[in-house]
Amino acid sequence: MARRRQLYEGKAKILFEGPEPGTLVQYFKDDASAFNAQKKGTITGKGVLNNRISEYLMLRLGEIGVPTHFVRRLNMREQLIREVEIIPIDVVVRNIAAGSLSKRLGIPEGTRLPRSIIEYYYKNDALQNPMVAEEHITAFGWAHPQDMDDIVALTLRINDFLTGLFLGVGISLVDFKIEFGRLYDNDDMRIVLADELSPDNCRLWDSKTNEKMDKDRFRRDLGRVEEAYQEVARRLGILPEAGMRDLKGPETMQ
Ligand code: UDP
C-alpha cells in the first residue's frame, strides 16, 4: 500500500491525507493524556471504541440535521472525514457540575446546574487552553459573530439530543467538549461539528449509580477504564461484532 502523508498527530488521533481532495483520514490511537499532557498512558482498545462511538453519535446527529465532518468509517481505527478549517475554540457544555467548574466555583460535583452552560476555551497548548469569553473570540477574529450564533445554536441542539440519547441507555451526560470547523463548498461556507464525540471528551455517569464511565477513570486512577468505554459502546448497541478480543485492531498502514 502506498505511504500516506501524515498531516497532524495529536494526543489521541492522527490525521492523514484522504483519498480525494477535501477529505482526510482520522486515525484513533489508544494513547490517552490528561492535565495538559502531564499524565500519559494507554487505554487498550480505546481507539477502536472511540472510532465507533464517534461514528455512531455523528451519524445520529446528522439524522436530526446537525452538519458534521463525518463521511464514513473505513476500518476499526479509521474514519473518512471532510477537511475543515478548525475554529481554535474548545466548546464545553455543562449540565451537571464536575471537573474544572466544581474546582473553580466551589460547586460540589454532581450538582445539577440551573440551566446548561456553554464555556469557551482557546485551543493553545502552550497557554494550557485558557478559558475565554465570546468577546475575546470575536475581537481576536477566531470566529465571527455570525459563526458564534451558529455555534451556539448547534451546541444547544447537540446537547439536547445527546442528553436524551444517553438517558435512554441509562447514562447522564454531565458535560462534554466539542469542536467546530468551517467547511467550504465552492463559495459557500458552513460551520460543522468536527473532531470527535467519545468518552474521551464527555463526562458520562451511570444514571442510577453515578458511576463514572469516561476518561475521568483514567484521569483519577479509578481503574476499569477499558471496561467503562466498552460499557458505553455496549449500551449504545455498537460493540464491534468481533467482540473485545480484536479490540487492538489492525495497525495503521503508513
Ligand atoms: N475536555 C476535553 N478536552 C480538554 C478539556 C476538557 O475533552 O482539553 C472535556 C472533559 O472531558 C469534560 C469537559 O470537557 O467532559 C469539561 O472539562 P473540564 O473543564 O471540567 O476540565 P477537566 O476537569 O477535564 O480538566
Side-chain angles (χ1 to χ4, degrees), residues 83-127:
E83 183 171 22
V84 301
E85 185 183 283
I86 289 285
I87 294 170
I89 302 295
D90 281 345
V91 179
V92 168
V93 187
R94 301 177 183 278
N95 299 307
I96 297 173
S100 70
L101 177 106
S102 292
K103 212 166 153 188
R104 205 171 50 241
L105 303 181
I107 301 173
E109 280 217 330
T111 310
R112 179 154 286 283
L113 300 172
R115 60 182 175 83
S116 302
I117 293 174
I118 302 181
E119 296 173 347
Y120 306 108
Y121 296 83
Y122 179 43
K123 275 169 66 70
N124 183 315
D125 283 337
L127 298 174

Side-chain angles (χ1 to χ4, degrees), residues 6-131:
Q6 180 175 316
L7 302 176
Y8 168 83
E9 177 156 10
K11 288 162 230 154
K13 294 188 293 291
I14 306 174
L15 291 178
F16 296 99
E17 212 166 53
E20 298 123 39
T23 64
L24 301 176
V25 173
Q26 181 163 248
Y27 175 94
F28 288 77
K29 302 193 279 186
D30 283 350
D31 297 349
S33 69
F35 312 119
N36 290 301
Q38 286 169 41
K39 180 182 169 94
K40 286 187 182 149
T42 306
I43 303 172
T44 310
K46 173 173 83 79
V48 176
L49 290 165
N50 282 357
N51 188 23
R52 292 272 176 153
I53 294 170
S54 199
E55 169 195 23
Y56 177 75
L57 296 176
M58 293 231 180
L59 285 176
R60 296 296 307 270
L61 284 164
E63 285 164 14
I64 61 152
V66 172
T68 80
H69 72 166
F70 182 83
V71 180
R72 66 174 181 276
R73 188 164 57 82
L74 297 171
N75 56 49
M76 296 272 275
R77 285 182 185 271
E78 295 179 335
Q79 50 183 239
L80 187 68
I81 57 172
R82 304 280 304 269
E83 183 171 22
V84 301
E85 185 183 283
I86 289 285
I87 294 170
I89 302 295
D90 281 345
V91 179
V92 168
V93 187
R94 301 177 183 278
N95 299 307
I96 297 173
S100 70
L101 177 106
S102 292
K103 212 166 153 188
R104 205 171 50 241
L105 303 181
I107 301 173
E109 280 217 330
T111 310
R112 179 154 286 283
L113 300 172
R115 60 182 175 83
S116 302
I117 293 174
I118 302 181
E119 296 173 347
Y120 306 108
Y121 296 83
Y122 179 43
K123 275 169 66 70
N124 183 315
D125 283 337
L127 298 174
Q128 304 192 346
N129 298 347
M131 191 183 200

Side-chain angles (χ1 to χ4, degrees), residues 132-143:
V132 293
E134 191 167 332
E135 280 285 286
H136 301 99
I137 298 172
T138 51
F140 294 122
W142 299 323

Side-chain angles (χ1 to χ4, degrees), residues 11 35-36 90-94 98-102 104 109 119 121 129 174-179 195 198-204 214-216 219-220:
K11 288 162 230 154
F35 312 119
N36 290 301
D90 281 345
V91 179
V92 168
V93 187
R94 301 177 183 278
S100 70
L101 177 106
S102 292
R104 205 171 50 241
E109 280 217 330
E119 296 173 347
Y121 296 83
N129 298 347
V174 172
D175 58 31
F176 61 97
K177 184 270 290 183
I178 44 181
E179 295 181 31
D195 191 48
S198 74
D200 267 9
N201 36 49
C202 300
R203 281 198 171 91
L204 303 169
D214 55 58
K215 209 170 92 175
D216 271 349
R219 290 191 191 98
R220 302 179 189 188

Side-chain angles (χ1 to χ4, degrees), residues 224-253:
R224 299 181 61 78
V225 188
E226 290 94 338
E227 289 82 352
Y229 280 63
Q230 275 174 38
E231 179 61 13
V232 172
R234 193 191 64 77
R235 291 202 194 175
L236 292 172
I238 51 168
L239 259 193
E241 292 112 49
M244 299 318 300
R245 70 194 151 79
D246 283 347
L247 270 193
K248 282 204 90 166
E251 291 307 309
T252 181
M253 300 278 209

